Amino acid sequence: MYYVIILYGVGFVLNLINPTFYMQYLSLDARAILHGQVWRIFTFIIQPPSSSPIWMALALYVYYMIGSQLEQAMGAFRFNLYFFTGILLHAASAVIVYLMTGNVLLMSTWYLNMSLFLLFAAIYPNVRFLLFFVVPVEAKYLALLDGVYFLIAIVQAFRGIEGLPAGVAAGVSLFNFFLFFFGFRKMRPYSPREIYRKNVYKKKVRKEVQYEDGARHKCCVCGRTDITNPELEFRYCSKCAGDREYCQDHLFTHVHVKE
């Protein structure tokens, strides 16, 4: 996600220097792609989420926070696979619509990034966000609003050509979310970093720590164990002093304990 943020920054600066360059040479134009400009399949992703510096900075912060958390939870391999599958689905749908209707759909990665929040909420449903920087709301409820936003865009696509780009982008992004969450959520990540992390974890759990109720894993934040909540996954935090273990809901949200 770090590199995606850099690409958005490059797109923002490019838009300030030459506002027409992106649309002329880099946008997702199916007609141009079929005439040999295949680089557009990937270069369209640099379109920034906003032209306002303030909203741009806020959007990039949110993207980086959610994206980096997902990358740690899913592994770099699966996260990259999710993101680039979404990009290819956008490009393929744009080409298909052009061949069928002759309409050029100028889509960005806005809905793909929005689908990242759906994925985040599916993995961490109880994480709280400050809505309007004041009201604490859990991720699962914000995901419901996110889903309604997607459905509205899809419905608008059936009302006219004006809503077709957003509707198609929302549809393929939702398809990508369901494909990965329900189809590949049990697939093991194969990245070297993930393999190394698992090996370190296995060495630590060899100590066979047992608590009073017979549990071998216990979250240092909420106190839930593998006995009371067998559906949870538990991990040690490499940044905390000592062998401190956390459940999947608090692994990336707890305050690190130092010596």
Side-chain angles (χ1 to χ4, degrees), residues 44-45 60 65 92 95 99 119 132 134 145 177 234 252:
F44 82 95
I45 71 174
L60 294 188
M65 180 186 66
V95 172
L99 293 176
L119 199 59
F132 305 117
V134 177
L145 296 177
F177 163 74
F234 296 84
F252 303 109

Side-chain angles (χ1 to χ4, degrees), residues 86-212:
I87 291 174
L88 293 177
L89 286 174
H90 276 66
S93 61
V95 172
I96 292 173
V97 171
Y98 174 73
L99 293 176
M100 294 179 61
T101 66
N103 295 314
V104 175
L105 304 183
L106 299 177
M107 297 184 292
S108 67
T109 57
W110 171 260
Y111 286 95
L112 177 60
N113 292 328
M114 294 289 286
S115 73
L116 289 177
F117 183 78
L118 292 177
L119 199 59
F120 179 88
I123 299 176
Y124 305 110
N126 298 320
V127 172
R128 292 186 175 183
F129 290 84
L130 291 179
L131 188 63
F132 305 117
F133 304 101
V134 177
V135 183
V137 183
E138 293 183 351
K140 57 188 174 184
Y141 300 118
L142 291 176
L144 293 177
L145 296 177
D146 200 12
V148 171
Y149 179 75
F150 273 81
L151 293 177
I152 291 175
I154 294 174
V155 171
Q156 291 292 334
F158 293 96
R159 294 189 173 182
I161 188 60
E162 295 81 7
L164 192 59
V168 173
V172 297
S173 297
L174 270 184
F175 173 77
N176 193 37
F177 163 74
F178 287 120
L179 176 67
F180 272 77
F181 183 71
F182 293 107
F184 299 117
R185 58 180 176 176
K186 294 183 179 180
M187 183 181 68
R188 292 177 178 270
Y190 296 101
S191 67
R193 180 183 297 179
E194 188 69 8
I195 294 173
Y196 172 77
R197 184 193 64 76
K198 287 187 176 181
N199 289 334
V200 172
Y201 174 74
K202 289 179 181 178
K203 290 180 181 179
K204 289 186 176 182
V205 298
R206 285 174 185 169
K207 298 179 180 180
E208 296 293 336
V209 177
Q210 285 193 350
Y211 298 94
E212 295 180 356

Side-chain angles (χ1 to χ4, degrees), residues 20-47 87-88 90-92 94-95 104-109:
T20 63
F21 185 83
Y22 173 84
M23 294 300 298
Q24 289 179 340
Y25 302 105
L26 304 177
S27 62
L28 186 60
D29 188 328
R31 183 190 297 111
I33 292 174
L34 294 176
H35 283 81
Q37 299 182 18
V38 293
W39 62 82
R40 291 175 179 264
I41 295 176
F42 296 102
T43 57
F44 82 95
I45 71 174
I46 75 169
Q47 183 177 8
I87 291 174
L88 293 177
H90 276 66
V95 172
V104 175
L105 304 183
L106 299 177
M107 297 184 292
S108 67
T109 57

Side-chain angles (χ1 to χ4, degrees), residues 229-247:
N229 297 85
E231 75 281 0
L232 294 178
E233 293 186 6
F234 296 84
R235 295 287 185 270
Y236 288 95
C237 178
S238 60
K239 297 182 180 180
C240 288
D243 296 330
R244 301 183 66 85
E245 197 172 18
Y246 301 92
C247 68

